Amino acid sequence: MPPPTHYRVGVFVLLPALSSVGGHLGFLILLLDKWQAIEVATGGPLNSSNLTALPRDNLAAGYSWPIIFLPLWVAECMIASMAVLALCSRSVASRNTNLLHANTVCQAFFNALFKIILAKQLGSPLNHISWLMIFSPLYLAMLLQVYLHFWKEPDGRGRRPGFPFALAHLLALLVSLKLENALHYGDSTWASVFWPLWAIGGFLGCTLMVGVCCGVPLLLRREMQTQMTLFLAAVLLLMLSIFVPGVLAAVRLTEWLHGTAPV
C-alpha cells in the first residue's frame, strides 16, 4: 500500500527544504563567528583588499573551515538521501520524476565536493590552486543538469519541465572567471559579475509588485476578500522576509568586494 500523499510531501519536499535552510543557517552562524575571530586577531575590520594578505595565523583563528562547512555537508547528505529514498520507493514513476531525483543526487554530490575543495584551499592559502579547478565540480554539475534536462520527456507543447541550468551554476561560472582573471574577466566590476542576481531580482520584484497592484483592487469585491487577503499576505511575506533582505545582502556584498563598505 503506497504511503499517503501528505507523508510523501513531508518526506520528499518539506524535509529536504528544511534541511537546506537549516544547513545554510548553521553555516552562516559558524562563518560569522569565524569572521569575528579573524577581525579580533587582525585588530580591525576586514575588506576584500587585505583579506588575502593576512598572516596565516590570523586566518586560522576561530573554528576550522571543515567545521564551518559541516552543516552544509550534512544538509547535502540529507537531500541526497531523500532523493535516493524517493527513487527506491516509487515502483511506478514517470521518467521526468526519476530524472529529477537523479539530478538532485548528483547536484548534492558535486556541491559537497566543491565545498570540500574550497575548505581545503581556505585552510591552506599558501598552496593555491587554480580557481577554475576549485569550481570544476560546479561546472560538472551544470553540464550534468543540461544533459539530464534534454533527456526529459516534453509535454504536449513540446516543453521540458525545469531548467537546463540553475542560477547558482551561472554565478559560479562568472565568479570563477573573475577570480581567475580568465578571458580578461578580471577587469569587470563585481556589480557586472553579479548581473544574474540583478536580473532575477528585478523579475521577482516586478512580479511581486504586479501581484500587489492587481490584488488590492480585488479587495473591494466582497466575495473575494478572504482569498485576496490571504494572497496579499503571502506576497507581502515573501517581499519582506526574502526579497528585500536578499537584495540588500547582494548590494552590501558587492560594495564590500569593491572595498567601498566594511562588513
Side-chain angles (χ1 to χ4, degrees):
M1 181 178 178
T5 303
H6 66 273
Y7 171 80
R8 295 198 300 269
V9 171
V11 172
F12 302 132
V13 178
L14 294 181
L15 189 56
L18 293 176
S19 301
S20 179
V21 172
H24 283 86
L25 285 177
F27 167 76
L28 291 175
I29 292 173
L30 294 174
L31 180 62
L32 177 60
D33 186 90
K34 173 79 171 181
W35 192 277
Q36 292 174 339
I38 295 177
E39 285 186 336
V40 171
T42 306
L46 303 178
N47 55 60
S48 58
S49 60
N50 69 1
L51 185 60
T52 56
L54 291 177
R56 186 172 182 178
D57 292 340
N58 291 1
L59 293 175
Y63 295 107
S64 65
W65 288 106
I67 296 297
I68 294 174
F69 282 101
L70 182 60
L72 294 178
W73 289 330
V74 172
E76 299 288 358
C77 289
M78 294 189 65
I79 292 172
S81 300
M82 292 299 102
V84 171
L85 181 61
L87 284 171
C88 297
S89 62
R90 294 171 181 262
S91 57
V92 179
S94 66
R95 178 178 179 177
N96 291 348
T97 302
N98 289 332
L99 288 175
L100 175 64
H101 292 308
N103 181 63
T104 300
V105 175
C106 296
Q107 295 298 319
F109 170 76
F110 285 118
N111 288 337
L113 181 60
F114 162 70
K115 295 176 180 73
I116 291 174
I117 299 175
L118 181 60
K120 181 176 177 62
Q121 175 59 41
L122 292 173
S124 304
L126 298 180
N127 302 324
H128 179 67
I129 61 177
S130 170
W131 285 107
L132 300 180
M133 182 64 66
I134 294 174
F135 281 82
S136 60
L138 298 184
Y139 303 156
L140 296 175
M142 179 172 60
L143 293 176
L144 181 63
Q145 181 163 326
V146 171
Y147 175 77
L148 293 178
H149 176 77
F150 287 101
W151 270 91
K152 294 178 181 178
E153 296 177 347
D155 56 17
R157 296 175 294 179
R159 299 177 181 177
R160 295 176 173 86
F163 299 94
F165 56 87
L167 176 65
H169 296 148
L170 184 56
L171 283 175
L173 178 62
L174 297 176
V175 170
S176 61
L177 292 177
K178 167 71 173 177
L179 293 174
E180 191 65 23
N181 195 18
L183 304 176
H184 301 288
Y185 212 73
D187 299 330
S188 303
T189 63
W190 282 105
S192 62
V193 170
F194 291 145
W195 68 262
L197 284 180
W198 315 132
I200 193 68
F203 173 77
L204 292 177
C206 292
T207 302
L208 292 173
M209 290 303 298
V210 169
V212 172
C213 293
C214 294
V216 170
L218 293 177
L219 287 176
L220 301 177
R221 301 178 60 178
R222 181 174 301 179
E223 66 275 9
M224 299 189 65
Q225 283 184 354
T226 302
Q227 295 89 333
M228 291 312 305
T229 300
L230 294 176
F231 169 76
L232 289 175
V235 171
L236 292 176
L237 179 63
L238 288 174
M239 183 178 295
L240 296 178
S241 64
I242 298 178
F243 175 73
V244 174
V247 171
L248 292 177
V251 171
R252 291 288 294 172
L253 175 61
T254 305
E255 291 177 344
W256 180 80
L257 289 172
H258 283 304
T260 58
V263 174

